[in-house]
Amino acid sequence: MSYTFSMGEEQVQSVGDKSTCKLYSGMALAFCGNENDINAYNVDYGVLNNGCFVDALNLVPHVFLLFITFPILFIGWGSQSSKVQIHHNTWLHFPGHNMRWILTFSLLFVHVCEFAEGIVSNKMMTTNHLHLFMPAFMGFIAATTSVVYYHNIETSNFPKLLLVLFIYWVLAFITKTIKLWKFAEYSVGPQHLRFCITALLVILYGLLMAVEINVIRVRKYVFFANPQKVKPPEDLQDLGVRFLQPFVNLLSKATYWWMNPLIMGAHKRPIELKKIGKLPIAMRALTNYLRLKDAYEDQRTAEDPDRAPSIWRSMYRAFGRPILLSSTFRYLADLLGFAGPLCISGIVKCLESENKTTVSKDIYFGVHFMSSTELLQNSSVLAVLLFLALILQRTFLQASYYVTIETGINSRGALLAMIYNKILRLSTSNMSMGEVTLGQINNLVAIETNQLMWFLFLCPNLWAMPVQIVMGVILLYYLLGSSALVGASIIVLLAPVQYLIATKLADTQKITLEHSTDRLKTTSEILKGIKLLKLYAWENIFCDSVEGTRAKELTSLKTFAFYTSLSIFMNAAIPIAAVLVTFVMHHCINETGPSSSEAFAALALFHILVTPLFLLSTVVRFAVKALISVQKLGEFLQSDEIGDDSWRNGDMPVPFEAGKKHMGTTKAINRKQPIRYQMDSYEQPTRRQLRPSETEDVAVKVINGCFTWGSNLSTLSDINISIPTSQLTMIVGQVGCGKSSLLLAMLGEMQSMDGKVFWSNKNRYSVAYAAQKSWLLNATVEENITFGSPFNKQRYKTVIDACSLQPDIDLLPFGDQTEIGERGINLSGGQRQRICVARALYQNTNIVFLDDPFSALDIHLSDHLMQEGILKFLQDDKRTVVLVTHKLQYLIHADWIIAMKDGSVLREGTLKDIQTHDIELYDHWKTLMNRQDHGLEKDVQQDSQTTLERKTLRRAFYSREAKLDDEDEEEEEEEEEDDNLSTATIRRSKIPWKVCWCYMSSGGFLMVFLMVSSKLLKHSVIVAIDYWLAFWTSSKTSQSRPDFTNVTVTNDTSSQPTLAPVNAADGSYYLPVFIALCAAGIALCLITSLTVEFLGLSAATNLHHNLLNKIIHAPIRFFDITPLGQILNRFSADTNIIDQHIPPTLESLTRSTLLCLTAIGVISSITPIFLIALVPLAVAFYFIQKYFRVASKDLQDLDDSTQLPLLCHFSETAEGLTTIRAFRHEARFKQRMLELTDTNNTAYLFLSAANRWLEVRTDYLGAVIVLTAAGASIWSSLYGLPSSGGLVGLGLTYALTVTNYLNWVVRNLADLEVQMAAVKKVNSFLGTESENYEGSMDTSQVPENWPRNGEIKIQDLCVRYDPMLKPVLKHVNAFIQPGQKVGICGRTGSGKSSLSLAFFNMVDIFEGKIVIDGIDICKLPLHTLRSRLSIILQDPVLFSGSIRFNLDPEKSCTDDRLWEALEIAQLKNMVKALPGGLDAVVTEGGENFSVGQRQLFCLARAFVRKSSILIMDEATASIDMATENILQKVVMTAFADRTVVTIAHRVSSILDAEQVMVFSSGILVESDSASNLLKQEESLFSVLRFSLGQRNIFCLCLHRVHTILTADLVIVMKRGNIMESDKPETLLEQEDGMFASFVKADM
């Protein structure tokens, strides 16, 4: 009986005997082996009873599959097979797709185990038995081929070819079942590994066969007459959808393979929004919103409809499943994470005990059968298992991260849509009464939803961490016994400390934010008033005030840095402390150190344990924040809503048909439920109901109306009005009498206590409404005016002309395509209001509501708008106009007047009715009109407010264009070489080392040296600790193996550690050194964390200080050409990045880089062969980081740039709520919000997917490093190279850390690159040239009381703003005597203001000079010159603080002097009445005082200085007549003995001047007394005077009648047409004429 059938025979044989192996190594390979004493090919007892034959039979299915599929795969069947046109090669539509992939991956893993078992069993045999591992190898190839083949068939939609796979699974199942049956027959059972593997394969093949049958059953592609026809999903038919994660196969899902084209492409061309496309439907905000809304609304029950639904429950119902899936992945990843330490322990044990291994042999079928424990005692098998475990662990971990991030983003999108819908339905009273503020809404959108999103990102940690900690402690106890519990308890006990530090960090950050806000406020004020500061030489005072605020901010930043350092220190030091305590305790208990396998497995476990405990504090903090956020959201969602429209008509809720007209703006989400998923039908506000019974001549009617703003008090009561159709109705009354409220009540914005509002049948479903407070969109001028209506060129042009917008549009850089609004150009109040009126005019609606459209307009524009816009454009269109106004002179144009008083209607009717029936009211109106006329006289004399606004706009753009040109030039210089793509690519992928060095050097060389040296020292000490541990544990092992010490000869010094002096008291030698090293390591951890943070703080301090000084001392030209927002950005966003973001990134980058480098160094020193494998790995790593960094930067920019429009859209919607609802544009705005949310979510998802792409690749690289390190160690020990078990353990532990830190190196590098852009921007401003403050004269040479007399000589003066620009003053010569009053005039742009700046040396005097009291001002130090002169500017500038601070920031004057100045400026009584007197508060910009009062404060400020020269630069341009008279009077008396130079807008204000200088195009054309110049009729001064006089007459003609009875000619106009034209007396004779009737009415 041959050995083939002998069973149960056991032998013990030493496999350490290498001579036996050598004997057979030269033997030929044989499939069944060729032992002499066994006939492997014997089939006497049946073919199936021969084990080798059964294995050969198992090869057949694999060979069959390869033979059939390879030709199909490689030859292909052409693209004709694809029956359906799809854009993406990712259509996965066969049933059981995911199950098939999971089963195939399981099959591959089992084949690897089968192969390993075969190889190890083969080694036990005397000759090679190929049949033990060959079928497994072929099975692996076949399984891989099957999945590739399946993928190709599925994406090409050719199901008939799946028949091949079905046959393969059936054959494989049959052959494996035969093998299993034979094993069972010969008593091979579960105790043998091969039996278990075969059983698993039978199950897997059976399941795969079932999957294949299911595909046939569902798709009917074979054996059925009618195959099922399928269509690809809508997303895959849409070319725009580029986010393919939900549609790709599992392998691509796990490795983010589908991201490759995008990330690689970014290297050649930047990623743009177009490139990332749209989101799949299931991930869009609308879909998620509907899901969350359903879950939210389902909680409302019929029994308790007012019960507030729980947001937590809604979110769980809507997004619970993905969170559970993510948690499952997380659990799997965490459990697989423990495979690392266990495998290290196993490998070290195997290598230490390899020379003395006894193996039991079970022989069946003539071959060796092993148990699973035997297989796990093989170091090579353990190394492969460790590699696979790492790959799987990292895959599951990244999958968990991705799922939580996707869920977080989806939930944020849904919450944003919920908040937005609530905003659109918010009761106006809530907003106006301050119950819901704009700030609250912004916080909900920007902060609370993000807090919730972050909580969802982190929540799987909440339940995964406890499991991880418990498992870790159990494994530690298993390895080291009770001493491990002491170490673990240290980690657990220090967790609350970390939580405490985390809360302290959060508190400090809040305080820092407050100081930062204060600093920004001060900086902003300084920049806005920089001209005044420079003219008064107050730069340093205000600079010090910013530095003072900055000092407070830096104090809190220091605290922040300290706590951050502590947090980093705890994270780094806890593992060292835990290891120290554990091993000391272990030594005390067992009187010996741990073995290598125990020590390094424990070390790896401690590293695993620290992570969850470090994260726990963060997660708990976010959980607390999330609870608060949900509470705030809940309160907001429960706040009052506006009533529906039905009450306006006295009708009850509207039938569904009313909303049908506006359905279908959004595509159906799910074809099975089309109606439910229409955005508009889901939540479209119902339209105004029409009343056919109403007469056509009334547009709106209010009957017994009583309205309130939410309190029980009625704001409007007893309202009974009718608005006539196609007529102009004016609503007039005192301020606060309820005019605007009446409009809003008609629009349904107020709560109705009683009565009804009816709308006529002729209404076009919408009202055009211009609110009193102008509201603009962040969009172009054109988009603001058309407001979603179709563009009609003719209509648009007419509206623009009617609102006098063309001159303003011409000034904008891109005309009406310029973006305005918060993020765009800052327009003035009048310009904003005219755009809002233009929007109302442009809309094609029957009714137009205009709420006080003239409030911010000057008289010329008001007239033009009234004539062209309202009387001509709207009335010609036969539109119903309701106009609220204070301008009573327009009442003559009204068809119907509603006079209001104290919230009720005082009188209603035509002007004639009121004149007849309410004479008292009519007289009161006449008195008011007379008062308005006085204002008019002032108004028409000066350059109108509009002219000033346009001037401001022109200046802003002239300077901005210049700046843009400069920037373009810079970019051109940078990109000169970047003509071709390759150089551009190189530039994009280069790390900005220069900027990094600039940042480091700002921190100070000492700090840089300390940081670098302490970091290097710390990592050296940590390596020393681990090396010492390796020697200690190896010495213990060698002590327990005395026979091994004489094995190696001492020809290699690296073997010395194993021969270290060993005696019974080895602890006394190793332990003290170990304790000392650990203590040093812990101390260095603290030092390094402190040095990095304080280096960052030092750099931030210096950069901000230098920036502030450079900006404040920059020439005034710099502020003209640099937008204020750009400068403020340097002080806000960029400074914040430098303060708070760069230091932690830098710390993390240096730490992770040094950890990876030390790890690689340690592995290489232990097994130098590892260096060979390192080369390809390094190349792979280089390319991965290179591609990722560029793509990440682009995606980060996209995320940032798409976030701002979304936040702006929310705030602008909340601000313009009444307008949006009046226009009935809610659906359009919702749609816009959904688009903006989706755009932002797309960018964020791509960024997150890019991060996963990187992490998967670096994790896999890390796994390869571990495998290589393990392989190198095993190979070294096999070939007798000296390496102790301790060193092998050390190498593997370090290899494991590489896996964790590789991706952080790249992530931090990418982050640092983005953050360094802030340093670059700040640096670009540090290159600004400062003004020359020194001067050629010393301060001591200037007399104390200079200028004493105030004599000014101007000699051949030429001035320009910049050497690149033309001169603005050319060869000016003039002499001003001491105490003389001089007036300077000229048209706009003639050089008047430039001369005033020249007195202060604020402009470039490149030729000639100005001599004041014998001293050339160019020689004086700037501070001295400017501090001795006084100026009052056109725009009054006040700073926040006290009145005292505004008058005398230098604190050099007594209170008496200040009161004297206030008395002269006629302000003493007003200031005395204020709480605090001189210390009364001045708000930002002096907003708590009127413009006139502010100008008088500026006068007082000039008087406080008591300079002998005062310059008034158009100081009366923006104040009323009364204030101007006071100012002129004060100047003439208080400044009687001083030289006063007045630059005048109006010639009338300088008629009393002793000398008048007239400028034209920068040249002084006339200079004489006013009277002499007026005598010369040809003089320019006379021309200017005459043109102003003409304008007065012309303007007066337009307004009032009784004021022009003495005119030579009267022209009467109506709606743009001349009705009458003659002398006034001739026109009065025509009693039925219009002029005569006006005069009668006027008298």
Side-chain angles (χ1 to χ4, degrees), residues 1436-1496:
V1437 179
L1438 293 184
F1439 300 97
S1440 56
S1442 63
I1443 291 174
R1444 183 194 303 279
F1445 175 74
N1446 272 284
L1447 295 179
D1448 177 33
E1450 293 166 300
K1451 299 176 186 169
S1452 59
C1453 298
T1454 60
D1455 280 14
D1456 293 343
R1457 175 104 166 259
L1458 298 180
W1459 282 117
E1460 184 193 353
L1462 288 171
E1463 191 171 8
I1464 286 168
Q1466 319 285 308
L1467 288 169
K1468 187 175 181 181
N1469 295 337
M1470 189 268 288
V1471 173
K1472 268 194 168 164
L1474 293 172
L1478 285 173
D1479 296 313
V1481 174
V1482 179
T1483 57
E1484 191 174 349
E1487 290 295 329
N1488 52 341
F1489 296 106
S1490 71
V1491 177
Q1493 287 171 326
R1494 278 182 253 165
Q1495 195 61 283
L1496 291 173

Side-chain angles (χ1 to χ4, degrees), residues 866-881:
M866 187 71 201
Q867 294 290 343
E868 297 297 318
I870 296 167
L871 297 177
K872 195 174 175 187
F873 183 79
L874 292 178
Q875 295 279 276
D876 285 358
D877 250 8
K878 297 276 183 248
R879 286 158 86 180
T880 306
V881 184

Side-chain angles (χ1 to χ4, degrees), residues 303-546:
E303 301 86 61
D304 189 7
D306 296 331
R307 191 172 71 97
S310 157
I311 293 180
W312 284 119
R313 195 171 294 135
S314 313
M315 287 183 71
Y316 176 73
R317 284 184 189 172
F319 307 109
R321 281 176 66 185
I323 290 290
L324 289 174
L325 175 68
S326 168
S327 304
T328 310
F329 285 150
R330 186 60 198 264
Y331 280 132
L332 288 169
D334 288 348
L335 292 174
L336 281 164
F338 292 113
L342 293 174
C343 287
I344 288 177
S345 173
I347 290 169
V348 174
K349 260 187 193 160
C350 286
L351 292 179
E352 283 178 344
S353 58
E354 201 141 292
N355 290 59
K356 281 283 173 195
T357 311
T358 53
V359 180
S360 63
K361 266 198 173 183
D362 285 359
I363 301 288
Y364 303 91
F365 300 102
V367 289
H368 174 75
F369 274 68
M370 59 163 59
S371 65
S372 50
T373 48
E374 273 179 69
L375 184 73
L376 292 176
Q377 281 168 4
N378 185 296
S379 53
S380 304
V381 170
L382 283 174
V384 174
L385 274 179
L386 173 58
F387 171 71
L388 290 175
L390 273 176
I391 291 280
L392 272 178
Q393 186 231 348
R394 291 293 159 174
T395 306
F396 282 135
L397 190 63
Q398 296 308 332
S400 166
Y401 287 159
Y402 170 76
V403 174
T404 45
I405 288 173
E406 189 193 297
T407 311
I409 290 170
N410 286 345
S411 66
R412 175 173 163 262
L415 284 168
L416 286 175
M418 260 183 109
I419 293 168
Y420 195 78
N421 273 294
K422 183 71 184 180
I423 291 172
L424 287 177
R425 294 199 308 272
L426 265 185
S427 153
T428 317
S429 58
N430 264 13
M431 298 289 282
S432 58
M433 305 298 280
E435 285 172 37
V436 178
T437 63
L438 197 60
Q440 267 175 300
I441 289 173
N442 287 340
N443 277 353
L444 281 175
V445 174
I447 298 170
E448 313 306 344
T449 51
N450 280 346
Q451 300 279 26
L452 263 175
M453 177 173 80
W454 274 100
F455 172 69
L456 283 182
F457 288 177
L458 295 168
C459 74
N461 291 310
L462 267 181
W463 35 86
M465 279 173 182
V467 175
Q468 205 175 358
I469 291 164
V470 170
M471 279 291 295
V473 172
I474 291 169
L475 282 174
L476 277 169
Y477 182 74
Y478 159 74
L479 282 170
L480 297 173
S482 52
S483 59
L485 297 177
V486 181
S489 64
I490 282 195
I491 296 179
V492 175
L493 287 172
L494 286 172
V497 179
Q498 285 190 305
Y499 179 71
L500 190 73
I501 291 170
T503 49
K504 288 280 185 193
L505 270 172
D507 296 342
T508 315
Q509 201 155 16
K510 268 186 197 164
I511 298 164
T512 310
L513 189 66
E514 284 165 19
H515 291 316
S516 180
T517 311
D518 290 346
R519 173 177 61 79
L520 267 178
K521 192 176 144 196
T522 318
T523 311
S524 171
E525 273 198 297
I526 287 177
L527 293 173
K528 283 176 186 168
I530 191 75
K531 188 175 179 182
L532 181 96
L533 295 189
K534 286 187 167 295
L535 290 166
Y536 273 78
W538 287 344
E539 305 102 304
N540 294 336
I541 297 167
F542 280 79
C543 190
D544 292 343
S545 78
V546 175

Side-chain angles (χ1 to χ4, degrees), residues 1157-1328:
L1157 290 175
T1158 49
I1160 287 165
V1162 167
I1163 299 165
S1164 306
S1165 69
I1166 294 166
T1167 47
I1169 194 167
F1170 171 75
L1171 287 169
I1172 299 167
L1174 193 62
V1175 177
L1177 291 174
V1179 171
F1181 178 74
Y1182 169 76
F1183 281 106
I1184 289 169
Q1185 65 83 31
K1186 185 179 170 184
Y1187 284 124
F1188 171 78
R1189 275 187 13 252
V1190 177
S1192 167
K1193 198 173 169 190
D1194 288 350
L1195 290 168
Q1196 186 84 56
D1197 289 347
L1198 281 181
D1199 178 43
D1200 293 343
S1201 65
T1202 54
Q1203 212 163 7
L1204 191 61
L1206 177 63
L1207 297 178
C1208 284
H1209 186 70
F1210 269 86
S1211 59
E1212 75 188 12
T1213 301
E1215 279 175 14
L1217 209 46
T1218 46
T1219 308
I1220 294 166
R1221 290 202 287 232
F1223 276 87
R1224 278 295 173 271
H1225 277 231
E1226 292 98 325
R1228 184 168 73 85
F1229 274 77
K1230 272 184 204 173
Q1231 192 56 37
R1232 177 81 184 127
M1233 185 278 308
L1234 292 171
E1235 284 165 12
L1236 289 169
T1237 307
D1238 284 340
T1239 309
N1240 182 231
N1241 285 355
T1242 311
Y1244 198 103
L1245 271 168
F1246 266 102
L1247 181 62
S1248 140
N1251 288 337
R1252 302 286 79 76
W1253 179 93
L1254 166 79
E1255 288 182 16
V1256 163
R1257 275 149 190 75
T1258 49
D1259 288 348
Y1260 288 179
L1261 266 184
V1264 174
I1265 288 174
V1266 173
L1267 180 66
T1268 316
S1273 305
I1274 293 161
W1275 184 83
S1276 300
S1277 72
L1278 273 178
Y1279 283 85
L1281 293 175
S1283 66
S1284 68
L1287 289 176
V1288 170
L1290 172 68
L1292 290 177
T1293 310
Y1294 269 88
L1296 271 183
T1297 59
V1298 174
T1299 320
N1300 291 325
Y1301 288 107
L1302 263 183
N1303 69 68
W1304 281 111
V1305 173
V1306 187
R1307 287 276 292 277
N1308 288 323
L1309 199 58
D1311 288 347
L1312 192 69
E1313 207 173 334
V1314 171
Q1315 289 162 7
M1316 278 298 163
V1319 180
K1320 192 177 179 182
K1321 286 175 190 171
V1322 167
N1323 262 347
S1324 69
F1325 274 26
L1326 292 181
T1328 311

